[in-house]
Amino acid sequence: ALSLAVRRASTPLVVTPHYHGTSDNDLRDRLLSLYAPVGRWVLQRASAVIAVSEWERRQLRQDFGNDARVIPNGLDVDRFRTATPETREQPYLLTVGRLVEYKGVQHVIRALTDSRLAEFDLVVAGRGSYRDRLEAIAREAGVADRVAFAGYVDDDRLPRLYAGASVYL
């Protein structure tokens, strides 16, 4: 985006930064601090900035003074609408994403101790540096037998997991 902005100042530039403000490790946080001046420069010159959520829009405003337009990520709805639900012994909650602390999966695991969720298991789809800690949290909370870590889920299985879930988090 930077080279495009420099080379063709008259060409409209639309930026979708997928900005989080922080990351899951110190190295990435240092890289983000280096990115900030360049990112601010590009965002100021952009014809439009797209945020994928209201949360991201607020972060972009806070960190860069930019008022982005919210357009959620696209999705092939038919692929999910026609999926055959995955069946499991218990109804389940589903979370899909990179396993890092700031995503908050640990809170879902701890919530399983609430008696209102006693009938539900949790399926955690995704990989990441926080998985070992999430497994430990499940053991500490006494719900390890109700939390299934699916790891990476391929494109064929993912719609079935969503279709079978009672709730997606």
Side-chain angles (χ1 to χ4, degrees):
L2 177 59
S3 64
L4 180 65
V6 169
R7 283 187 285 141
R8 298 185 178 217
S10 64
T11 301
L13 175 64
V14 177
V15 178
T16 307
H18 293 269
Y19 181 71
H20 297 274
T22 64
S23 74
D24 62 332
N25 69 52
D26 291 338
L27 175 61
R28 285 185 181 165
D29 282 338
R30 282 190 289 259
L31 291 173
L32 280 172
S33 70
L34 295 173
Y35 164 80
V38 174
R40 181 174 286 106
W41 185 85
V42 171
L43 292 174
Q44 288 172 346
R45 282 151 183 79
S47 303
V49 178
I50 308 298
V52 298
S53 68
E54 183 60 32
W55 183 92
E56 182 187 18
R57 186 185 69 75
R58 286 192 304 270
Q59 285 298 119
L60 288 166
R61 181 183 295 145
Q62 174 186 309
D63 294 356
F64 298 103
N66 185 281
D67 194 22
R69 179 175 178 191
V70 176
I71 301 176
N73 286 324
L75 172 67
D76 181 354
V77 175
D78 288 334
R79 185 171 147 239
F80 289 83
R81 183 182 300 133
T82 60
T84 301
E86 181 160 316
T87 56
R88 299 178 63 84
E89 286 186 33
Q90 293 290 115
Y92 65 94
L93 314 174
L94 174 66
T95 182
V96 177
R98 192 165 35 96
L99 303 183
V100 291
E101 185 175 10
Y102 76 87
K103 298 271 185 165
V105 176
Q106 66 274 21
H107 305 299
V108 179
I109 292 171
R110 289 183 183 115
L112 290 176
T113 63
D114 188 303
S115 62
R116 293 172 292 183
L117 296 176
E119 70 181 275
F120 295 98
D121 287 346
L122 172 65
V123 175
V124 179
R127 296 185 295 207
S129 59
Y130 200 53
R131 178 175 173 160
D132 291 343
R133 181 67 189 126
L134 291 172
E135 289 175 344
I137 290 168
R139 286 190 302 275
E140 292 161 10
V143 296
D145 61 327
R146 295 174 47 213
V147 180
F149 289 90
Y152 171 80
V153 174
D154 67 35
D155 287 342
D156 291 333
R157 183 179 178 206
L158 190 59
R160 295 194 311 268
L161 272 175
Y162 276 106
S166 297
V167 174
Y168 166 71
L169 306 158

